[in-house]
Amino acid sequence: MRNAETAVTKKRALTGIKPTGAPHIANYIGAIRPALALTDQYDSYYFIADYHALTVIKNPQEFTDLTYQVAAAWLAMGLDPAQSTIYRQSDLPETFELSWILSCVTPKGMLNRAHAYKAAVDQAAEEGTADVDANVNMGLYCYPVLMAADIILFSAHVVPVGRDQSQHVEYARDIAQKFNHTYGPTLQVPELLLSPTAATIIGSDGRKMSKSYGNQIPLFADTATLRKLIRRYKTDSTGADEPKDADNSGLFQIYREIAPVEDADDVKKALEAGHMSWGQLKDIVFKAVDGFLTEPRERYRALMADRRQVDRILAAGAEKARLEAQHLLARVRDAIGRVEMRP
Ligand code: ADP
Ligand code: TRP
């Protein structure tokens, strides 16, 4: 059934991914897969948060390429545009009008406490920079309000995200409530939906896998690169026949997420009993990841080779999404007292 027909009965799920780097396997495990798992149960809106990426991406060509990469990643990993609405944030000017309106009910102190902004300020302070705001652009500062607008514009009931995004969803809730308190009940207050299984996947250097650390396994690397990156994973010095801590190994985490449960159990037992070396684990994980990604990689390459196809899908998604967005924005404008003037 198409979502236009089911929208009345189904609750809505919405999530976005910002194109700040090539999508990696932790983005899939932590964000893309849990979101795709909801498409039967929810009326789903999934988008490329391209204007959110502008806080860091300043190179126009890179901005274009990354936007296509994230769109193609959603599609290659299984998003069906006939079942979910997929669009690009910047195709909806309504988002930015709503963002301004919401910023006027958002206390500045809330944004002072936002994790990403605080992290930038703390780092500047640590480095002894006199003006701790010197390297903070207003986009970074206002980021949570724009994200609240993304969510509220579609009256999303649930927002599936990784744990690192939970503060942003809490902010979207607070902002919606503030608006409703000021202007009367108008906006849906969204709920955070954390995937029960999604752990924070550890990258090749032992820290959280993240584009910002350069420790990631890209989703669409070729086989040779994939092998090299998995080989390079940092492991501790436990010898081949010593017991190993499977749960704290980034490689085992990845394996557990993509391999059949029984295989993952066997590998865990072997590691913990000292019957498997890290080198053997690397071989097993490489084979599993490479096999798992073979088909998505082909779909991804085909999409990236035919960007017009991606354009068409995103344009159709935006067209549908805009109707919804305009509807909500009309209610908001009405609530704040902006009447339509007629000449
Ligand atoms: P990155 O840290 O690589 O810049 P993003 O912040 O763009 O990743 O995250 C995009 C999505 O992927 C978010 O929903 C986030 O929760 C999820 N995600 C990112 N890194 C991880 C990780 N190491 N483990 C699990 N989920 C992750
Ligand atoms: N901030 C999210 C991230 O960094 C991306 C995002 C932008 C988003 N707007 C959103 C996620 C709305 C969920 C809902 O991953």
Side-chain angles (χ1 to χ4, degrees):
M1 234 195 289
R2 304 225 159 193
N3 39 0
E5 296 156 19
T6 56
V8 194
T9 48
K10 284 186 176 176
K11 286 194 171 183
R12 184 166 294 166
L14 173 144
T15 198
I17 296 186
K18 60 182 196 293
T20 47
H24 53 73
I25 198 151
N27 296 146
Y28 172 67
I29 295 169
I32 298 177
R33 189 175 59 182
L36 293 180
L38 299 175
T39 54
D40 283 339
Q41 200 188 338
Y42 288 90
D43 176 26
S44 45
Y45 278 63
Y46 297 149
F47 69 101
I48 300 110
D50 59 337
Y51 274 16
H52 269 114
L54 284 179
T55 62
V56 290
I57 305 291
K58 311 291 182 187
N59 177 308
Q61 190 59 51
E62 194 186 3
F63 183 65
T64 307
D65 290 344
L66 288 170
T67 300
Y68 278 108
Q69 286 180 27
V70 171
W74 271 120
L75 295 164
M77 298 314 296
L79 186 144
D80 174 3
Q83 197 188 23
S84 308
T85 306
I86 178 169
Y87 57 97
R88 176 174 61 168
Q89 178 189 39
S90 63
D91 281 329
L92 305 179
E94 291 77 12
T95 306
F96 310 100
E97 183 175 336
L98 181 62
S99 182
W100 173 259
I101 296 171
L102 295 179
S103 73
C104 296
V105 295
T106 304
K108 176 171 176 286
M110 201 163 122
L111 298 186
N112 291 341
R113 291 186 295 275
H115 293 329
Y117 171 65
K118 264 188 69 192
V121 166
D122 290 350
Q123 194 188 337
E126 224 168 80
E127 288 164 2
T129 316
D131 177 3
V132 290
D133 279 325
N135 284 323
V136 176
N137 61 55
M138 283 303 290
L140 174 68
Y141 190 71
C142 299
Y143 188 108
V145 182
L146 181 57
M147 180 156 158
D150 292 331
I151 296 169
I152 290 168
L153 191 60
F154 290 98
S155 303
H157 298 94
V158 296
V159 184
V161 282
R163 206 170 290 281
D164 58 318
Q165 292 297 313
S166 52
Q167 186 196 41
H168 286 147
V169 180
E170 287 302 325
Y171 276 20
R173 286 177 63 81
D174 288 353
I175 293 171
Q177 278 161 346
K178 269 262 181 206
F179 184 97
N180 289 345
H181 184 72
T182 310
Y183 295 109
T186 314
L187 306 177
Q188 173 68 40
V189 179
E191 270 176 42
L192 171 70
L193 191 70
L194 281 181
S195 159
T197 55
T200 297
I201 305 294
I202 299 166
S204 61
D205 61 356
R207 293 186 285 177
K208 163 192 181 308
M209 187 181 291
S210 171
K211 292 169 283 232
S212 358
Y213 297 144
N215 61 358
Q216 69 274 43
I217 303 284
L219 274 174
F220 306 111
D222 57 45
T223 299
T225 310
L226 191 62
R227 182 184 286 114
K228 201 172 71 197
L229 291 173
I230 289 178
R231 279 261 141 228
R232 204 183 283 163
Y233 241 81
K234 197 172 125 192
T235 48
D236 62 28
S237 56
T238 12
D241 49 7
E242 287 179 84
K244 298 174 187 63
D245 182 359
D247 291 331
N248 279 316
S249 150
L251 287 172
F252 179 70
Q253 278 185 318
I254 295 170
Y255 187 70
R256 190 178 46 201
E257 295 289 344
I258 62 168
V261 186
E262 317 80 64
D263 293 2
D265 285 347
D266 288 348
V267 168
K268 184 176 159 81
K269 277 191 205 123
L271 285 168
E272 289 176 348
H275 293 158
M276 185 183 282
S277 69
W278 289 127
Q280 285 168 316
L281 177 69
K282 285 178 177 178
D283 287 340
I284 290 173
V285 174
F286 163 69
K287 281 199 196 93
V289 174
D290 193 44
F292 177 74
L293 290 177
T294 299
E295 279 179 22
R297 200 186 280 144
E298 276 163 24
R299 284 196 292 269
Y300 179 82
R301 290 206 180 127
L303 287 159
M304 290 303 279
D306 180 10
R307 292 186 175 196
R308 294 283 307 282
Q309 195 190 339
V310 178
D311 291 345
R312 279 194 296 274
I313 294 171
L314 293 183
E319 196 183 334
K320 174 166 176 266
R322 268 201 92 177
L323 289 176
E324 285 281 327
Q326 284 164 349
H327 189 66
L328 188 279
L329 194 62
R331 294 215 321 263
V332 168
R333 285 171 164 187
D334 192 49
I336 63 173
R338 180 193 182 277
V339 294
E340 287 304 327
M341 294 188 183
R342 304 198 192 286

